[in-house]
Amino acid sequence: MEAHSSEVFVIGLTVFFLACIIGYYVVWSVTPALHSPLMGVTNAISSVIIVGAILAAGPQGFDTSKIFGLIGVVLASVNIFGGFLVTYRMLSMFKKKNKKTKEKE
Amino acid sequence: MVAILYLISALLFIFALRGLSHPESSRMGNIFGIIGMIIAVFTTLMFKSVLSYYEIGAAILIGGAIGSFIALRIEMTALPQLVAAFHSLVGLAAVFVAAAAFYDPVAFSIGKVGSIKTASLVEMSIGTFIGAITFSGSVLAFGKLQGTISGKPIVFKFQHLINALIFLLIIFLIVLFVINQSPTIFWTIVIVSILLGFLVVIPIGGADMPVVVSMLNSYSGWAACGIGFTLSNNLLIITGALVGASGAILSYIMSKGMNRSIINVVLGGFGGEQDTSASKDNSDKIVKQGNAEDAAYIMKNADSVIIVPGYGMAVAQAQHALREMGDILKKEGIEVRYAIHPVAGRMPGHMNVLLAEANVPYEEVLELDEINHDFPMTEVTFVIGANDVTNPAAKTDESSPIFGMPILDVEKSQSVLFVKRSMATGYSGVDNELFYRDNTTMLFGDAKKMCEDIVKSLSA
């Protein structure tokens, strides 16, 4: 059992470091003009923690951990909807110099 | 099957960030992110142990409604506060998930109450610690950005020593927690970490907020990572690492934009009134003042104008009036461009979003290194709400606190128009010698009002 769990940890660690490296390269490729939307998106996806909250809220009945889980689901949902929507709003404002804006004038 | 769906979700998150490399692909990126999240949530709902669909559905609806309401109503100038508030929720959610795992370890298959696996306990308490710090730090950052709490750095004696001792105390508590698994100690860790979060952000001043907001962004990622390790969930680990890396890189870029190390920013206390001595020398120098009509006249007769916006533009909500001014100048055949300093505003990319909101095409908005060499060929530079990022002292005066900071070379353009409310110094507390140059005209007044008046004069 102990050997098994340490193996799981090493796999987790491997995944962690590889993900850090991917994150490093992907984030450096983000154009500085979009750094605010980047924060919006990362904020939304970090709420993937909702997965843990759902597992805690999953069982029937109402014990302490279920209530914690449900609170976690509410908090993470605020972020997921809020984060993606505000990013959507920001990104939809970034426009090219095109006919549409000229027609408006 | 579950692992594969989680993998797809993680890949979609990576594509979501990748999409942000260009405005054209960014919208698709956001959609990838949304699909990834939907897959992650539904995959988890399919778990055998997950039975209470109604309660979970209700929780998602409540949270979703609140989040959507806020996101749709928020003013773009208030984005930094919003992001800080959202970070605090991620931190708090991490604490609750860790607490849930502690009270019901069976649901996460990490052992039984009272005999949880040691590794899980360590991971759980680290997740809790980072989550709680993210929570309280973000709440304080929110207060400072919103103006509820003074943006001035609050410093007191032995501040860093106290923080260090609290940190050691937390490590001690974690060790104790791993040994006896007591709920009392778990909640003590939560409370002490919350305290530490407050203390870490309190000495950091308003204009250093871009770094703080990025740092908290990073923390919220590491918190998710900690929970991912506790649950042995690769999706959480990958996503947390992506977010953590993203925040860390943004913090680095922001500190670099101020020529300071992250540590220097984190230790805080920068800015404020301590540097008044330097500004006294300039009291007898002459400042050339102008009004909106003068500004309109100068710009109308130029071939090229570069606009340098700063936080003052956001405060005055001047972006729409400014764009209108730019439009009129463009119609006159004048080349108009915008120059953005990396640390302009209160969060990374803040100015870009505000200008985009005012319908300025993104091709006209350039970064420091893209436009800096064009200032000598430019006739007029229009500085609105920016100060320290244009101060030539950063290049020449070694004694200046901002020495070495990369700045926009506005002084090299033929003439400079400087919109400012008063002669007050910028955030750094340093006087700007630019004000006293022969080719500088100061336009005193509210940024928005000034732009509107210039528009009137231009159209007259």
Side-chain angles (χ1 to χ4, degrees):
Chain A
M1 197 63 198
E2 272 306 299
H4 173 71
S5 74
S6 74
E7 206 171 284
V8 169
F9 177 73
V10 172
I11 292 173
L13 215 56
T14 313
V15 170
F16 172 74
F17 282 115
L18 291 179
C20 283
I21 293 168
I22 293 174
Y24 179 85
Y25 286 104
V26 171
V27 172
W28 273 114
S29 78
V30 172
T31 168
L34 294 179
H35 277 162
S36 286
L38 172 67
M39 301 200 91
V41 169
T42 50
N43 178 66
I45 65 172
S46 64
S47 306
V48 72
I49 209 161
I50 195 172
V51 164
I54 291 176
L55 288 178
Q60 271 163 340
F62 266 100
D63 55 4
T64 327
S65 90
K66 176 164 183 175
I67 291 165
F68 287 157
L70 285 174
I71 297 173
V73 173
V74 174
L75 294 172
S77 305
V78 173
N79 255 312
I80 293 172
F81 283 77
F84 280 127
L85 263 176
V86 86
T87 310
Y88 171 81
R89 271 186 68 195
M90 282 190 253
L91 292 176
S92 59
M93 295 185 309
F94 279 86
K95 288 189 200 105
K96 256 190 148 170
K97 242 190 266 182
N98 59 15
K99 312 127 223 166
K100 269 186 192 168
T101 43
K102 274 184 186 159
E103 275 165 22
K104 268 187 202 165
E105 281 166 14
Chain B
M1 189 58 188
V2 168
I4 291 180
L5 287 170
Y6 276 164
L7 175 66
I8 294 172
S9 163
L11 287 175
L12 285 167
F13 289 157
I14 295 172
F15 291 141
L17 300 190
R18 180 71 195 139
L20 290 169
S21 58
H22 195 274
E24 288 299 292
S25 57
S26 61
R27 273 160 280 231
M28 201 58 219
N30 199 33
I31 292 169
F32 283 143
I34 295 170
I35 298 172
M37 189 59 79
I38 293 172
I39 294 176
V41 168
F42 278 94
T43 307
T44 316
L45 286 173
M46 286 186 324
F47 275 58
K48 272 187 208 136
S49 64
V50 177
L51 300 162
S52 48
Y53 299 112
Y54 292 113
E55 291 99 314
I56 294 172
I60 293 179
L61 280 181
I62 295 169
I66 299 171
S68 310
F69 181 78
I70 299 170
L72 292 174
R73 301 274 319 251
I74 193 85
E75 288 275 347
M76 282 299 147
T77 39
L79 268 181
Q81 293 92 298
L82 178 77
V83 168
F86 279 167
H87 289 156
S88 76
L89 297 182
V90 181
L92 198 58
V95 173
F96 276 111
V97 174
F102 176 57
Y103 279 88
D104 185 10
V106 182
F108 297 91
S109 39
I110 52 170
K112 284 179 195 150
V113 178
S115 60
I116 302 173
K117 288 178 200 159
T118 309
S120 303
L121 284 169
V122 176
E123 292 154 358
M124 188 189 293
S125 42
I126 292 176
T128 309
F129 162 61
I130 305 175
I133 284 201
T134 311
F135 167 66
S136 55
S138 302
V139 168
L140 194 62
F142 170 83
K144 285 193 173 198
L145 289 163
Q146 180 79 17
T148 329
I149 306 165
S150 160
K152 276 186 194 146
I154 296 168
V155 280
F156 48 86
K157 258 190 174 174
F158 305 123
Q159 197 160 25
H160 304 311
L161 183 70
I162 292 171
N163 288 354
L165 288 176
I166 293 178
F167 181 68
L168 290 177
L169 173 67
I170 291 172
I171 293 178
F172 173 70
L173 285 169
I174 290 178
V175 173
L176 216 60
F177 173 67
V178 171
I179 295 167
N180 70 10
Q181 311 196 8
S182 135
T184 322
I185 295 181
F186 178 83
W187 293 111
T188 314
I189 295 176
V190 173
I191 291 166
V192 178
S193 305
I194 287 179
L195 179 71
L196 186 61
F198 279 126
L199 289 174
V200 164
V201 176
I202 220 165
I204 306 177
D208 281 346
M209 279 300 150
V211 185
V212 177
V213 173
S214 318
M215 232 170 51
L216 292 165
N217 183 238
S218 181
Y219 288 174
S220 70
W222 304 130
C225 250
I227 302 298
F229 275 107
T230 317
L231 311 184
S232 303
N233 183 320
N234 285 343
L235 173 61
L236 259 63
I237 297 177
I238 295 174
T239 315
L242 288 177
V243 176
S246 164
I249 291 174
L250 288 179
S251 320
Y252 171 78
I253 296 174
M254 294 300 116
S255 327
K256 191 119 181 149
M258 298 189 285
N259 189 39
R260 293 164 59 197
S261 68
I262 293 182
I263 302 196
N264 180 287
V265 176
V266 172
L267 292 182
F270 189 78
E273 302 96 300
Q274 66 265 52
D275 278 294
T276 40
S277 56
S279 56
K280 274 175 192 154
D281 319 337
N282 284 321
S283 54
D284 52 339
K285 289 194 193 165
I286 302 155
V287 172
K288 198 162 75 186
Q289 265 195 59
N291 57 25
E293 279 161 40
D294 303 332
Y297 178 79
I298 293 172
M299 285 193 280
K300 218 170 184 172
N301 289 305
D303 289 330
S304 51
V305 173
I306 294 180
I307 297 170
V308 179
Y311 184 59
M313 179 193 80
V315 174
Q317 299 267 17
Q319 65 270 32
H320 299 280
L322 182 67
R323 195 260 312 153
E324 223 177 297
M325 186 189 94
D327 281 350
I328 297 178
L329 292 173
K330 273 194 280 177
K331 266 190 202 155
E332 301 269 331
I334 301 162
E335 186 194 21
V336 178
R337 287 177 300 169
Y338 297 79
I340 311 286
H341 191 275
V343 293
R346 287 291 185 265
M347 76 184 278
H350 193 188
M351 291 298 123
N352 302 77
V353 172
L354 294 180
L355 291 175
E357 186 200 12
N359 280 321
V360 174
Y362 58 77
E363 296 99 324
E364 290 173 14
V365 183
L366 300 163
E367 303 300 319
L368 177 110
D369 45 351
E370 292 172 329
I371 200 164
N372 225 7
H373 49 266
D374 286 357
F375 280 106
M377 285 93 83
T378 302
E379 276 180 58
V380 181
T381 302
F382 186 80
V383 184
I384 175 164
N387 185 357
D388 291 335
V389 299
T390 64
N391 194 340
K395 287 184 290 194
T396 52
D397 180 7
E398 276 183 55
S399 64
S400 172
I402 58 169
F403 180 73
M405 176 167 126
I407 66 152
L408 289 158
D409 297 330
V410 297
E411 83 279 6
K412 289 186 182 158
S413 59
Q414 284 171 31
S415 60
V416 180
L417 297 170
F418 217 111
V419 182
K420 224 174 163 302
R421 267 185 301 199
S422 68
M423 279 303 285
T425 56
Y427 164 70
S428 66
V430 187
D431 197 24
N432 195 339
E433 58 167 280
L434 198 59
F435 303 161
Y436 312 101
R437 295 218 172 179
D438 292 336
N439 61 349
T440 305
T441 308
M442 300 299 293
L443 307 167
F444 290 114
D446 176 72
K448 188 179 175 187
K449 180 98 199 340
M450 184 56 72
C451 289
E452 287 167 352
D453 289 347
I454 294 174
V455 167
K456 269 184 218 152
S457 310
L458 281 172
S459 346

Short mmCIF file of all heavy atoms in Angstrom, two decimals, chain B residues 152-173:
data_model
loop_
_atom_site.label_atom_id
_atom_site.label_comp_id
_atom_site.label_asym_id
_atom_site.label_seq_id
_atom_site.Cartn_x
_atom_site.Cartn_y
_atom_site.Cartn_z
N LYS B 152 -2.06 53.26 0.51
CA LYS B 152 -0.68 53.50 0.96
C LYS B 152 -0.11 52.27 1.65
O LYS B 152 -0.83 51.56 2.35
CB LYS B 152 -0.67 54.68 1.95
CG LYS B 152 -0.62 56.01 1.22
CD LYS B 152 -0.45 57.15 2.19
CE LYS B 152 -0.75 58.47 1.49
NZ LYS B 152 -1.37 59.43 2.38
N PRO B 153 1.19 52.06 1.46
CA PRO B 153 1.78 50.91 2.15
C PRO B 153 1.74 51.13 3.65
O PRO B 153 2.03 52.21 4.13
CB PRO B 153 3.22 50.89 1.63
CG PRO B 153 3.47 52.24 1.07
CD PRO B 153 2.15 52.78 0.63
N ILE B 154 1.34 50.10 4.40
CA ILE B 154 1.33 50.21 5.86
C ILE B 154 2.51 49.41 6.39
O ILE B 154 2.59 48.19 6.22
CB ILE B 154 0.01 49.68 6.43
CG1 ILE B 154 -1.14 50.56 5.92
CG2 ILE B 154 0.04 49.65 7.96
CD1 ILE B 154 -2.51 50.00 6.17
N VAL B 155 3.47 50.12 6.98
CA VAL B 155 4.67 49.43 7.47
C VAL B 155 4.81 49.65 8.97
O VAL B 155 4.44 50.70 9.49
CB VAL B 155 5.95 49.93 6.76
CG1 VAL B 155 6.10 49.29 5.42
CG2 VAL B 155 5.94 51.44 6.61
N PHE B 156 5.29 48.66 9.65
CA PHE B 156 5.58 48.82 11.07
C PHE B 156 6.83 48.03 11.40
O PHE B 156 7.35 47.27 10.58
CB PHE B 156 4.39 48.36 11.93
CG PHE B 156 3.82 47.03 11.56
CD1 PHE B 156 4.36 45.86 12.08
CD2 PHE B 156 2.74 46.93 10.67
CE1 PHE B 156 3.84 44.63 11.73
CE2 PHE B 156 2.22 45.70 10.33
CZ PHE B 156 2.77 44.55 10.86
N LYS B 157 7.32 48.24 12.59
CA LYS B 157 8.58 47.63 13.01
C LYS B 157 8.51 46.11 13.03
O LYS B 157 7.47 45.54 13.34
CB LYS B 157 8.94 48.14 14.41
CG LYS B 157 10.01 49.21 14.37
CD LYS B 157 10.51 49.49 15.77
CE LYS B 157 11.67 50.47 15.73
NZ LYS B 157 12.09 50.86 17.07
N PHE B 158 9.60 45.48 12.73
CA PHE B 158 9.73 44.01 12.80
C PHE B 158 8.72 43.28 11.92
O PHE B 158 8.43 42.12 12.15
CB PHE B 158 9.60 43.52 14.25
CG PHE B 158 10.56 44.17 15.18
CD1 PHE B 158 10.10 44.83 16.31
CD2 PHE B 158 11.93 44.13 14.94
CE1 PHE B 158 10.99 45.46 17.18
CE2 PHE B 158 12.82 44.74 15.80
CZ PHE B 158 12.35 45.40 16.92
N GLN B 159 8.16 43.99 10.92
CA GLN B 159 7.13 43.41 10.07
C GLN B 159 7.56 42.07 9.46
O GLN B 159 6.87 41.07 9.57
CB GLN B 159 6.84 44.40 8.95
CG GLN B 159 5.56 44.15 8.23
CD GLN B 159 5.14 45.42 7.51
OE1 GLN B 159 5.97 46.27 7.19
NE2 GLN B 159 3.87 45.56 7.25
N HIS B 160 8.77 42.10 8.85
CA HIS B 160 9.20 40.90 8.13
C HIS B 160 9.57 39.79 9.10
O HIS B 160 9.35 38.62 8.83
CB HIS B 160 10.37 41.24 7.21
CG HIS B 160 10.01 42.34 6.27
ND1 HIS B 160 8.85 42.33 5.53
CD2 HIS B 160 10.62 43.51 5.97
CE1 HIS B 160 8.77 43.43 4.82
NE2 HIS B 160 9.84 44.17 5.07
N LEU B 161 10.10 40.19 10.27
CA LEU B 161 10.44 39.21 11.28
C LEU B 161 9.16 38.52 11.76
O LEU B 161 9.10 37.28 11.88
CB LEU B 161 11.15 39.90 12.45
CG LEU B 161 11.63 38.96 13.54
CD1 LEU B 161 12.79 38.12 13.03
CD2 LEU B 161 12.05 39.74 14.78
N ILE B 162 8.11 39.32 11.99
CA ILE B 162 6.84 38.74 12.45
C ILE B 162 6.30 37.77 11.41
O ILE B 162 5.90 36.65 11.73
CB ILE B 162 5.82 39.88 12.73
CG1 ILE B 162 6.27 40.68 13.95
CG2 ILE B 162 4.41 39.31 12.96
CD1 ILE B 162 5.47 41.93 14.21
N ASN B 163 6.32 38.19 10.13
CA ASN B 163 5.85 37.30 9.06
C ASN B 163 6.63 36.00 9.05
O ASN B 163 6.05 34.91 8.91
CB ASN B 163 5.98 37.98 7.70
CG ASN B 163 4.96 39.09 7.53
OD1 ASN B 163 4.09 39.28 8.37
ND2 ASN B 163 5.07 39.83 6.45
N ALA B 164 7.95 36.10 9.20
CA ALA B 164 8.79 34.91 9.17
C ALA B 164 8.43 33.98 10.34
O ALA B 164 8.33 32.76 10.17
CB ALA B 164 10.26 35.29 9.23
N LEU B 165 8.21 34.59 11.51
CA LEU B 165 7.86 33.77 12.68
C LEU B 165 6.52 33.07 12.48
O LEU B 165 6.35 31.90 12.82
CB LEU B 165 7.82 34.64 13.95
CG LEU B 165 9.19 35.11 14.45
CD1 LEU B 165 9.04 36.05 15.64
CD2 LEU B 165 10.06 33.90 14.82
N ILE B 166 5.56 33.81 11.91
CA ILE B 166 4.24 33.21 11.66
C ILE B 166 4.39 32.04 10.68
O ILE B 166 3.77 30.99 10.85
CB ILE B 166 3.25 34.26 11.11
CG1 ILE B 166 2.96 35.28 12.20
CG2 ILE B 166 1.95 33.60 10.67
CD1 ILE B 166 2.04 36.39 11.79
N PHE B 167 5.25 32.23 9.68
CA PHE B 167 5.46 31.17 8.70
C PHE B 167 6.02 29.91 9.39
O PHE B 167 5.56 28.79 9.14
CB PHE B 167 6.41 31.65 7.60
CG PHE B 167 6.68 30.64 6.54
CD1 PHE B 167 5.67 30.24 5.66
CD2 PHE B 167 7.93 30.06 6.41
CE1 PHE B 167 5.92 29.30 4.68
CE2 PHE B 167 8.18 29.11 5.43
CZ PHE B 167 7.17 28.73 4.57
N LEU B 168 7.00 30.13 10.28
CA LEU B 168 7.56 29.00 11.02
C LEU B 168 6.49 28.32 11.89
O LEU B 168 6.42 27.10 11.97
CB LEU B 168 8.74 29.46 11.90
CG LEU B 168 10.00 29.86 11.13
CD1 LEU B 168 11.07 30.37 12.09
CD2 LEU B 168 10.53 28.67 10.32
N LEU B 169 5.66 29.16 12.50
CA LEU B 169 4.56 28.63 13.32
C LEU B 169 3.67 27.73 12.48
O LEU B 169 3.26 26.64 12.93
CB LEU B 169 3.76 29.80 13.91
CG LEU B 169 2.47 29.41 14.65
CD1 LEU B 169 2.82 28.65 15.93
CD2 LEU B 169 1.63 30.65 15.00
N ILE B 170 3.38 28.16 11.24
CA ILE B 170 2.51 27.36 10.38
C ILE B 170 3.16 26.01 10.06
O ILE B 170 2.50 24.96 10.12
CB ILE B 170 2.14 28.13 9.09
CG1 ILE B 170 1.23 29.31 9.44
CG2 ILE B 170 1.44 27.22 8.08
CD1 ILE B 170 0.94 30.26 8.32
N ILE B 171 4.46 26.04 9.77
CA ILE B 171 5.15 24.77 9.50
C ILE B 171 5.03 23.84 10.72
O ILE B 171 4.71 22.65 10.60
CB ILE B 171 6.63 25.02 9.16
CG1 ILE B 171 6.73 25.76 7.83
CG2 ILE B 171 7.40 23.69 9.09
CD1 ILE B 171 8.14 26.09 7.41
N PHE B 172 5.24 24.41 11.89
CA PHE B 172 5.13 23.65 13.13
C PHE B 172 3.72 23.06 13.27
O PHE B 172 3.54 21.88 13.58
CB PHE B 172 5.45 24.57 14.32
CG PHE B 172 5.21 23.95 15.65
CD1 PHE B 172 6.04 22.93 16.12
CD2 PHE B 172 4.14 24.36 16.45
CE1 PHE B 172 5.81 22.35 17.36
CE2 PHE B 172 3.90 23.78 17.68
CZ PHE B 172 4.74 22.78 18.14
N LEU B 173 2.70 23.88 13.01
CA LEU B 173 1.31 23.43 13.10
C LEU B 173 1.04 22.30 12.12
O LEU B 173 0.34 21.33 12.44
CB LEU B 173 0.36 24.59 12.83
CG LEU B 173 0.20 25.62 13.96
CD1 LEU B 173 -0.56 26.84 13.47
CD2 LEU B 173 -0.51 24.99 15.15
#
